[in-house]
Amino acid sequence: MKKLFDQVSLSCSKLVTRKYSTSFSLATRMLSPEVRTAIYSIYGFVRFADEIVDSFHEYDKTYLLKKFEKDYYIAKQKNISLNPILNSFVATVNKYQIENSLIQSFLKSMNDDIHKTNYKTRKEYEDYIYGSADVVGLMCLRVFVNGNDKKYQELKKPAMRLGSAFQKVNFLRDLKNDSEILNRSYFPDINLDRLDTASKNEIIKEIENDFDYAFKYGVVKLPLNAKFGVYIAYRYYKQLLKKLKAVPSSEIMSTRVRVSNFLKISLLLRGYARYKLNLL
């Protein structure tokens, strides 16, 4: 009855997505059913790893992350895991031939979050973003193109730029939590204690450039099974950036912006209208 267990495993990944992120869950529900389940499984895997390094402060994070990684590779080899999140993820990795290098890069960035507090150079910063965000976008892209390697190569860079934009928005939104609770500073050459307007605007301009490139060369060219769902996630994060842009640099460390449920629904409805009118 492995089929039943696989269904239960997928249900667990779906539950993790809905409990941990209402926004990502909403965007995922806008994907076509044939790819939606795989995206749930990817989110479940990256969410659990992220929880280990960001939330389990009273436990041995290094041990937990190493065990999670070891259990994944055993599951990959045996094609089964009694951890339903890993069981679901392995099924997606195998079906869509997701490269091991992407998973290794992701786990490396998660490990860095345990042992590293400051990213002092641009290369360290970009390497971390690649592993923590870009590769997740590439995993999802593997699902969206479903074996079409030519399409994957065409959309690879835009997918990475979109992942980078999402992560940088998260960095900017979570400055207070990252600095005071997790003792992390991701932006190189930025003094978070005295974040000035010029530095904040430089970060925002960089994010806007990532968004513009990702939309022009990626989002609008996605297969129909993914375009609307990814567009909704793009619109949501653009709205977060707009709100962050309006917060004075002197207050950004004490403010955590969010998008209200009402505005999320409004973004969804307006996005759907543009999608149906072929304005993407």
Side-chain angles (χ1 to χ4, degrees):
M1 296 295 288
K2 176 67 160 51
K3 183 177 180 180
L4 178 58
F5 179 65
D6 289 343
Q7 291 173 349
V8 171
S9 296
L10 179 58
S11 295
C12 289
S13 296
K14 184 176 180 179
L15 179 63
V16 168
T17 307
R18 290 187 172 179
K19 288 293 185 181
Y20 275 100
S21 177
T22 56
S23 302
F24 188 84
S25 178
L26 177 65
T28 304
R29 288 202 294 272
M30 299 304 108
L31 300 170
S32 296
E34 65 265 23
V35 299
R36 190 184 306 154
T37 54
I39 303 305
Y40 283 138
S41 75
I42 292 172
Y43 182 87
F45 177 80
V46 300
R47 181 75 261 172
F48 268 30
D50 197 57
E51 282 302 295
I52 291 171
V53 301
D54 281 358
S55 302
F56 298 164
H57 308 306
E58 64 271 38
Y59 300 98
D60 185 341
K61 296 179 180 180
T62 300
Y63 166 77
L64 290 175
L65 187 62
K66 284 183 178 179
K67 186 175 189 307
F68 188 69
E69 180 175 1
K70 181 180 179 181
D71 289 348
Y72 162 71
Y73 283 112
I74 292 173
K76 182 71 167 63
Q77 180 184 18
K78 302 295 186 181
N79 201 32
I80 189 172
S81 175
L82 292 181
N83 177 333
I85 298 301
L86 293 180
N87 190 66
S88 177
F89 181 61
V90 163
T92 292
V93 169
N94 290 338
K95 179 177 180 179
Y96 294 98
Q97 298 182 322
I98 294 174
E99 303 95 318
N100 186 55
S101 60
L102 300 180
I103 298 162
Q104 286 181 324
S105 293
F106 171 73
L107 291 169
K108 181 185 181 301
S109 284
M110 294 301 97
N111 188 65
D112 285 346
D113 268 339
I114 298 175
H115 302 289
K116 199 176 183 72
T117 57
N118 290 286
Y119 293 78
K120 298 179 181 179
T121 68
R122 184 76 189 183
K123 184 179 187 308
E124 289 180 346
Y125 169 68
E126 290 177 351
D127 285 349
Y128 175 82
I129 290 176
Y130 173 77
S132 65
D134 295 4
V135 299
V136 179
L138 294 178
M139 290 181 205
C140 293
L141 183 59
R142 277 293 183 201
V143 174
F144 298 152
V145 302
N146 193 21
N148 186 337
D149 195 61
K150 182 180 179 181
K151 193 71 173 177
Y152 178 81
Q153 295 302 327
E154 177 190 352
L155 298 176
K156 184 176 180 179
K157 187 175 180 180
M160 292 168 62
R161 293 286 292 269
L162 188 61
S164 292
F166 288 171
Q167 184 68 292
K168 292 168 190 175
V169 169
N170 287 335
F171 286 165
L172 201 55
R173 181 178 62 165
D174 297 338
L175 280 178
K176 179 180 175 65
N177 183 72
D178 286 340
S179 177
E180 296 181 2
I181 298 177
L182 299 176
N183 191 32
R184 295 181 197 148
S185 177
Y186 293 106
F187 294 114
D189 302 320
I190 299 291
N191 186 339
L192 297 182
D193 294 326
R194 293 190 298 274
L195 181 65
D196 57 31
T197 301
S199 296
K200 179 196 163 198
N201 289 342
E202 183 180 339
I203 293 169
I204 288 176
K205 182 61 178 175
E206 180 180 308
I207 299 172
E208 288 175 336
N209 288 339
D210 283 336
F211 272 132
D212 291 345
Y213 184 94
F215 181 79
K216 182 177 180 180
Y217 298 105
V219 176
V220 297
K221 297 181 179 181
L222 280 167
L224 289 178
N225 61 13
K227 184 185 289 188
F228 182 54
V230 174
Y231 177 65
I232 291 302
Y234 161 85
R235 287 287 302 270
Y236 169 72
Y237 269 88
K238 284 272 286 187
Q239 186 63 35
L240 277 177
L241 185 63
K242 180 179 178 181
K243 292 173 76 71
L244 284 164
K245 196 172 183 178
V247 177
S249 57
S250 59
E251 298 176 17
I252 203 162
M253 280 287 286
S254 58
T255 304
R256 192 179 192 278
V257 304
R258 63 181 299 272
V259 176
S260 68
N261 289 334
F262 175 80
L263 186 51
K264 287 177 186 177
I265 298 301
S266 176
L267 290 171
L268 175 62
L269 294 176
R270 282 182 284 151
Y272 185 70
R274 287 180 60 83
Y275 174 72
K276 293 302 288 184
L277 291 170
N278 291 319
L279 297 176
L280 299 189

